[in-house]
Amino acid sequence: MNDIEAIRDFFLAGDAGKLKRSYQQLSGSFEATPPVVEDWQEVEFAFNRLFVGPAALEAPPFSSVYLDAQGLVMGQTTMAVRQMYAALGLESPWKNSLPDDHISLELDAALAMNHVLKKLGHSEIQELHARFMNHMTRWVPLFADRVLTAPSRHPAINHVVLCLSDWLDKQTCGLKNYQSAREEKV
Amino acid sequence: MSTTENTPETQAGICPLTRRRFMKGLLAAGVLANLPCGLLRPTRTEAGEIVYAGDYEIFRNACPRNCYDTCSIKTYVKDGVVQFIEGATESTFTRGGLCVKGYGYTRRPYSPDRIKYPMVQEGRGTGNWRRVSWDEAMDRIAKKILQIQEKDGNLLGLALSKYSGNFGITNYGIEGMMSSLGYTTRLTGTPCWPAGIDAQNFDMGDMWCNDPEDMVHARYVILWGGNAAWNSVHSVKYVYEAKRRGAKIVVIDPIMTQMAAKADEYWQIRTSTDGALALGMARHILDNKLYDRDWVMANSVGFEEFASYLRENVTVEWAAKESGVPATNIIEMAEEFATAKPATIWIGYGLQRHVNGGAAVRAIDALVAMTGNVGKVGGGARYGHLRTWGFNYHALLQKQPEGAKGVPGKAEVKGDFHFAGGNDAAAVSYSDRILNINKTAQVILDANDPPIRMLWVACKNPFSQDFDRNKMVKAFEKLEMVVTVDQFFNETVNMSDIVLPVTTLFEEWTINASYWHYWLSINERAIQPMYETKSDIQIAATLSKKMNALKPGSCTFPTEIDSKEWMTKEFNQGIYDLFGIKSWEDLKKGPAKAKMPSAAWHDLKFGTPSGKYEFKSELAAEWGNKALPEYVAPREKTDKYRVLTPHTKFGLHSQFINLDWSEEFNPKPFVYVHPQLAAEKNIKDGDTVRVFNSIGEVKTTAKLSTVVPSDAILMYEAWFRNNPYNVQNVVDDTSSDMGAYKTGQPGVAIHDQFADLAKV
C-alpha cells in the first residue's frame, strides 16, 4: 500500500482500530517522524470532532465547504469533482449519500489519475490531472490549516495532514513542470 | 445530453473535458481495467454528463414543522441533488412563496454540520463520540430495553419525549414503535396550545377555525395575542385583502409586534388581562343591545347566566383598569366589532399561555358568539382545527407484544394530535404510564415505580423547549440511557448517550396537513438519504429487527418497511372524499384543498353536550374550571418583571436559527428592554445583562426597544448552535388553566414568568 492510500483510508476510518491501521501503513517516506500514539481512542474522539460529528465539524473534509461561496456540500464544487471522476469513467460508490468531494474520494481519484498518466501519457489525461491537482491545491491547504489549528487538533492527525500536504506539494511540483512545458509549447 | 451556456467549466472552472471523447481513449488502451483506486468504481451508465440548467426533476414536499402555514413545496432536483425549492403555486394559501425560514431548507441536507452517522458518546457531555454502525447502535439500545424488561417486568422504564419537530403523519410511527415494544411511559400533552383547545371544546365542542382564506370577507379583524407577520406570513395577505376591502385591522398584544405595526389600531394590553378586555367589551355590547339576540336565542345555551355575570361583575371601567386599554377605546372597539358584520377574531396561541389563558379564550369566544359571528363566512373565533387529519394512523397503531405488562387498567393516551383511540378496548388490561410533557423534568425526577431508566427523544429538543432547564439537567442525571434522533447537534444531543441521524423532509415519504388552512400535501422522497440517515419509521423497523434477533417476539413493529408504501397506507376513502381526489397519486400533481365550507360551524350544529354554543359549560366545570367564561386573575408576580419568551422571526421554536442563512440576519440573541426600565437599571444598549430568578439565569446582550412593555423583559425563544442562550433557564413549569380535557395535560403558563435584571 502506498502512502496516499494510507492517507485516503485514514480519513475514512470509522473507528480507532482503522485509524491505527492506516496510520501505521504510512511508510515514513515523508520527512516528518510520525508521533507515537498511546491512546487511539483519544485520536478517534478528536478525529470525530474534526471530520465526522455529531457536533459541528471543526474541519469538514469536503472541498466544497472551502471553495463554494455557500459553504455547503453537494454544490458546484461537488458536482465538478463528480464530473472529473466521470471523465475517468469513474463514480463514487456512495453517490448522493457521501459528497463526491470528500478528501478520501479525491485522493482515490488522484491515485487513478496517476495510474492512467503512467500508462498513457497523452495530453488529455495530463490536462485532467493538472486540473484536478489545481483543484486540490485550492482547498487542501485551507483544510490542513483548519485541522492544524482546530481546538481538537491531535499530533497524529496533524502528522497525517502534513503528509497529505507534503504529497500535494510534490504533485504540484510536477504540475508546475507540466504547465511550464505546456506554456513553452504554446 | 445537452450543452448550455452555463457549462460546468464556467461554474467551477476545473473540468474542461467532455467525458465521451476522453473515455474512448481510456477504453481503447485498456487502462480502466486495473485502476489502483479502492473506492471509486466504473460508472454504470453511459449518460453521465452533468447539465447545469433546465431539465430538473420536480418533487412535491411540504414543510412539516409546527407552523400555521404548513407550506406546500416544489423541490427541483438535478443529478440527485436538490438545487432549489419554491412554494407550490397550486395551493392558493402557499401561493408560490415560502417564508424566510422555509427558503433555508436546502441548507439542511447539505450542511456539513448535519448529524451523519449513529454515534455513541463515552460520557454525556464529554464530546467523546465514537461512530458506530446502525447494527451496533441498535444492539446497545435493544439490550438496554431487554434489560429494563428483565429488571422491572415491564417497559414503563422506557419513556418517549416527542412533539412537533416533525408533524408528518408517518412520524407517528415513533409512538407506534413504543407500542410495538410494550407498555411504556409517554410524556403526553402539548406545550403549545392546549388551554385554547379545551376552551374551544367547552364552548363549541371542538376547535374548528374558518378557512383563513375567507378572512378577506371580514369587515373587522382583531388579531389577538399572535404575531402573524412573523409566524403565519401567508395569512397576512388575507388580512391585507380584508383591509383593502374596507375592514379595520386591530392588533391586541403586550408587545408591539410586526403585525401590530401593520394594523390600523394597536392596543398594548397588560399581559394576561385579555379576558378582562373581552368581558369589558361584552358588557358594553350587552348594555347597548348590540349583541345578536336572534343568533344567541337560536344557537346557544347559558347566555342569560353569562349576561348576569357581566352585569354583576364586569364594567368597562374595570376592564380598562385591568387591561390598560382606555375605557373610551374599549367602547369604541366593542361598538365597531359588534356592528361590523362579519367580524372575526384570530386568537393567537400566546394569549393562552397563562394561568388564565383558557378562560381568556372562552371570554373571546363569547364575544364572537354573542355578536353572531360564529358560523359565518369571514367571521369566527379562529384558533385552529384538526378537521383534515382523518388519516389511518397506520404507523401509529401498533400492538404490544404478547404478554406485555404495564399500568393495570385502561388509560387513554390523549394529545392534540391523538386521533386514533389506540388499542382495541376489549383487549386492554394494561396501559402506558402517562405523564405530563409540560413537566418533563419533574416527572422524570418523581417517577420511581419503576423509575424512568431510558428516554427516547425524537422530533424534539427538550433542553431548548421544555421548561426549567436546570431541573432538566438534574432529571437527565437520573436516566440510565438517553437516545436522541435528530438532524443537528444541540444540547439534548450533548446530554445523550446515543444519537441517531434522521432524514430531512427531502429524504423521506410522508403526508402533511395543517392545523390552520385546509390544504393537504404529500411529501415525496426527492433525494436519497444522505450519509447513513434514516426516517423515524425506518429507525423503528431497524430496532425491531434487532429486538427480534435478540429475543424473538419482543417487538411487533415490522422489520422491513417501504416508507412510500407506509405513506400510502395512511390514506382512506374519507380523506379522498374530503379532498376530492381519487388516489394519493393525485397529490403528486399538487396539494389539494378540503371540500369544506369556509365557515367553521356553518350548520350551527355544535359538538357540545347541548349541541349549541355553550356560554355556560358544565363540562368546563367538571374539568375544574368555571362553567361561565368568567375572569380569572393573572398569576401573582414571583419576581420584579414579567419575562416574555415569544417566537422569533428567524426560527420556529428551536429550529432554523442554526442554519447559516438565519444566522446572517440573526447571529446572536438579545434581551429586549424598554428604555425606561433600562434607565432604572443603568443599562445601555449593547451592555451584557443578566436575567435571573429563583430557577436560573440568562446572560446576553441588551437591546433597548420601545416595543416591549416597560415592566417586562423580552427574550425570543431560540436555539443558537454557538451560544448557550436558553430562555428555559428562567421559565418554570407552572401549568395553565386548561388543556387536560382534550390533550391529556394542562398547558404551561409560558408567559407568566418573572425575573429580575442586572447589568453584568
Side-chain angles (χ1 to χ4, degrees), chain B residues 283 286-287 304-315 628 630:
Chain B
R283 171 72 200 263
L286 177 73
D287 287 355
E304 277 315 316
E305 282 129 302
F306 177 52
S308 303
Y309 166 76
L310 290 175
R311 287 190 196 102
E312 286 159 27
N313 299 280
V314 174
T315 64
L628 289 169
E630 294 179 25

Side-chain angles (χ1 to χ4, degrees), chain B residues 443-496:
Chain B
V443 298
I444 291 172
L445 289 168
D446 290 347
N448 279 321
D449 189 25
I452 296 173
R453 303 180 187 278
M454 178 173 177
L455 185 67
W456 185 284
V457 181
C459 304
K460 197 164 191 302
N461 180 357
F463 271 97
S464 170
Q465 296 311 118
D466 282 329
F467 311 99
D468 198 342
R469 183 234 166 228
N470 289 327
K471 190 152 70 179
M472 191 66 77
V473 173
K474 289 196 194 85
F476 265 56
E477 282 166 11
K478 203 178 159 192
L479 300 168
E480 295 162 21
M481 181 184 275
V482 180
V483 178
T484 296
V485 182
D486 214 326
Q487 289 173 359
F488 289 100
F489 187 84
N490 55 40
E491 194 182 359
T492 303
V493 177
N494 190 38
M495 299 302 273
S496 301

Side-chain angles (χ1 to χ4, degrees), chain A residues 5 8-9 12-15 41 44-45 48-49 51-57 60 62 65 69-99 104-106 108-113 115-116 119-120 122 124-125 127-128 131-132 134-135 138, chain B residues 8-9 11-19 21-23 25-26 29 31-32 34-45 48-50 52 78-83 106-117 119-120 122 126-132 488-489 493 499 528-532 660-661 721-722:
Chain A
E5 286 173 68
R8 174 196 69 195
D9 293 350
L12 268 188
D15 59 42
Q41 191 155 69
E44 181 181 3
F45 295 150
N48 287 339
R49 288 195 192 102
F51 313 123
V52 180
L57 304 184
F62 310 104
V65 175
Q70 302 281 325
L72 301 183
V73 298
M74 305 303 279
Q76 290 170 4
T77 298
T78 311
M79 290 302 116
V81 167
R82 177 182 290 182
Q83 198 186 5
M84 297 219 270
Y85 302 165
L88 271 176
L90 299 173
E91 69 177 12
S92 164
W94 306 292
K95 191 173 175 181
N96 291 332
S97 66
L98 182 71
S104 294
L105 287 168
E106 290 200 0
D108 205 45
L111 279 169
M113 284 181 200
H115 175 79
V116 176
K119 294 266 173 183
L120 330 156
H122 65 61
E124 281 186 345
I125 184 65
E127 188 169 341
L128 178 69
R131 293 256 170 186
F132 193 62
N134 245 331
H135 158 72
R138 286 173 64 217
Chain B
E9 186 171 13
Q11 291 244 342
I14 52 176
C15 190
L17 301 170
T18 67
R19 179 174 161 274
R21 77 191 156 103
F22 185 63
M23 278 286 288
L26 294 181
V31 180
L32 285 179
N34 297 304
L35 286 177
C37 49
L39 305 175
L40 297 167
R41 65 187 181 194
T43 46
R44 285 175 298 183
T45 52
E49 199 81 7
I50 297 163
Y52 279 90
K78 192 189 293 278
D79 302 311
V81 179
V82 176
Q83 304 294 329
T106 53
R107 327 301 291 171
R108 279 179 185 245
Y110 304 133
S111 164
D113 296 341
R114 189 175 170 189
I115 298 173
K116 305 169 186 68
Y117 306 103
M119 296 190 82
V120 170
E122 302 297 345
T126 60
N128 291 334
W129 290 90
R130 292 196 305 107
R131 181 176 158 189
V132 296
F488 289 100
F489 187 84
V493 177
V499 66
Q528 74 179 76
M530 290 286 291
Y531 312 103
E532 292 183 8
D660 55 349
W661 282 2
R721 61 175 171 164
N722 294 321

